[in-house]
Amino acid sequence: MSKTVVVGSRGSRLARSMVRELLEPLKRAYPGVVFKHKTVMTAGDRDRTTDLRNLAATPGVFAKQIEIALLAGEIDVALHSLKDLATTPTDGTLLAAVPLRADPRDALCGSTLRGLPHGARVGTGSPRRIAQLKALRPDLSTVPIRGNVPPRLRKARDMDLDAVILAAAGLHRLGLSQEITEALDIESFPPSPAQGVLGVQIRKDSTELHDLLSTLHDQSTDYAVKAERSLLAALHGGCSVPVGAFADVRSGQLHLSAQVTSLDGTTVIRATRSCALHDADDLGKQSAYDLLDQGAEQILSTARETPSNT
């Protein structure tokens, strides 16, 4: 294996923090290897104006350019936020490691959910977050807000919003935990599938690199995200649809809770299942079928067809 390993990622402060999180244990374990970081500009980073709901409907908007750089040999390792990576693997690539999951929850910054006044304005462009928020507080209004984490916090203040919803993991990774007013309950506000998880991707033929990266792999996290991403794939979903899911390992079993919520918050469909650890993929599929049996497809179809300005 080469003595130099180039890791590619997006260029945000959060992406750089994720790269440090990845490389610190590797540098300790492999002092003879030089690890370098290369920034790759993605389509989602170039487009700062399109509404997040419309942008997220484009497959690979935050990952494709990084995968292209990987397959072209410009980088050796592609580091993603796993929720940005398509559920169908790109030919020639391999998800080599899934490190231990960080905090999977969403966080309110600026107020607690109970503390928000009637009619309060909350910043988020995520269909899932909009739907789940309206299910819990139908009186609230949401305001689209885009950008990296620190700019979103600044925009929330500049726009005089009462609160903004962000991923807790990103805030922790950036040293901004003090901005969290409330970490939202994972049962009533389930996160995006694989939220808080890093995805470490390599070329399929990089055998030695796979062995090196295996030291980072956390098997319990891998079981959990396999179930969550299998559910999302079976629902033909992505960031543009209101699907929340969370799986974890308890007492030797894998437990998955999933939720589909209409954009107006009036309909909430839930499914909960457990299985043996090695059946993670099937757990996700069966949970998706449970949701579909309860009418989830109508909600998902409506969400896909709804313009972002409604």
Side-chain angles (χ1 to χ4, degrees):
M1 187 187 73
S2 171
K3 291 295 183 180
T4 301
V5 174
V6 181
V7 178
S9 78
R10 297 170 65 186
S12 66
R13 277 181 56 191
L14 178 56
R16 295 196 297 271
S17 175
M18 289 161 52
V19 169
R20 288 193 297 271
E21 182 179 326
L22 177 83
L23 293 186
E24 284 175 3
L26 288 176
K27 288 177 178 178
R28 289 194 299 268
Y30 301 99
V33 178
V34 176
F35 295 94
K36 294 183 177 181
H37 177 216
K38 180 173 182 176
T39 295
V40 180
M41 183 69 73
T42 69
D45 296 316
R46 289 192 186 96
D47 185 345
R48 295 290 188 181
T49 58
T50 300
D51 184 271
L52 181 62
R53 187 186 306 174
N54 295 332
L55 192 68
T58 304
V61 68
F62 292 114
K64 194 63 182 176
Q65 291 304 126
I66 304 174
E67 291 187 301
I68 290 171
L70 176 66
L71 290 170
E74 298 170 11
I75 60 176
D76 304 301
V77 177
L79 182 63
H80 308 273
S81 176
L82 188 52
K83 69 177 182 178
D84 292 338
L85 199 59
T87 53
T88 301
T90 297
D91 288 343
T93 70
L94 177 70
L95 193 60
V98 176
L100 182 68
R101 187 177 212 159
D103 191 337
R105 296 173 294 177
D106 282 320
L108 264 178
C109 302
S111 174
T112 64
L113 189 61
R114 185 184 294 270
L116 284 167
H118 185 88
R121 299 164 71 239
V122 179
T124 179
S126 158
R128 173 188 60 82
R129 289 171 175 159
I130 292 169
Q132 292 175 350
L133 187 66
K134 288 184 176 294
L136 296 172
R137 286 286 306 270
D139 62 293
L140 301 178
S141 64
T142 58
V143 179
I145 188 167
R146 275 204 58 199
N148 297 322
V149 173
R152 270 192 275 179
L153 288 168
R154 287 195 298 272
K155 286 179 185 176
R157 296 181 181 109
D158 293 344
M159 296 166 68
D160 199 27
L161 300 181
D162 296 281
V164 62
I165 307 177
L166 298 166
L171 291 160
H172 293 316
R173 285 176 168 133
L174 289 169
L176 295 171
S177 302
Q178 73 279 2
E179 297 282 354
I180 298 175
T181 313
E182 180 183 9
L184 295 167
D185 177 65
I186 213 158
E187 290 189 12
S188 56
F189 215 97
S192 293
Q195 184 160 301
V197 182
L198 303 184
V200 186
Q201 188 184 37
I202 60 173
R203 290 182 294 277
K204 209 165 190 176
D205 58 0
S206 301
T207 307
E208 290 183 84
L209 197 50
H210 185 256
D211 293 341
L212 180 150
L213 293 168
S214 66
T215 58
L216 301 172
H217 190 68
D218 182 74
Q219 191 58 59
S220 292
T221 300
D222 187 44
Y223 287 135
V225 296
K226 276 183 178 175
E228 294 169 20
R229 283 165 61 78
S230 173
L231 169 115
L232 192 62
L235 293 174
H236 305 289
C239 295
S240 62
V241 292
V243 176
F246 179 70
D248 63 342
V249 176
R250 284 174 271 153
S251 304
Q253 289 272 303
L254 183 61
H255 301 265
L256 173 64
S257 296
Q259 180 175 309
V260 173
T261 312
S262 62
L263 291 180
D264 62 3
T266 58
T267 304
V268 179
I269 297 173
R270 296 186 178 94
T272 303
R273 276 182 178 258
S274 301
C275 74
L277 298 179
H278 61 270
D279 289 331
D281 279 330
D282 190 58
L283 177 64
K285 291 174 186 174
Q286 294 303 321
S287 297
Y289 300 152
D290 290 344
L291 293 168
L292 292 170
D293 286 344
Q294 297 177 68
E297 182 53 41
Q298 181 59 50
I299 293 174
L300 298 175
S301 296
T302 300
R304 294 185 189 104
E305 295 165 3
T306 300
S308 61
N309 60 355
T310 60

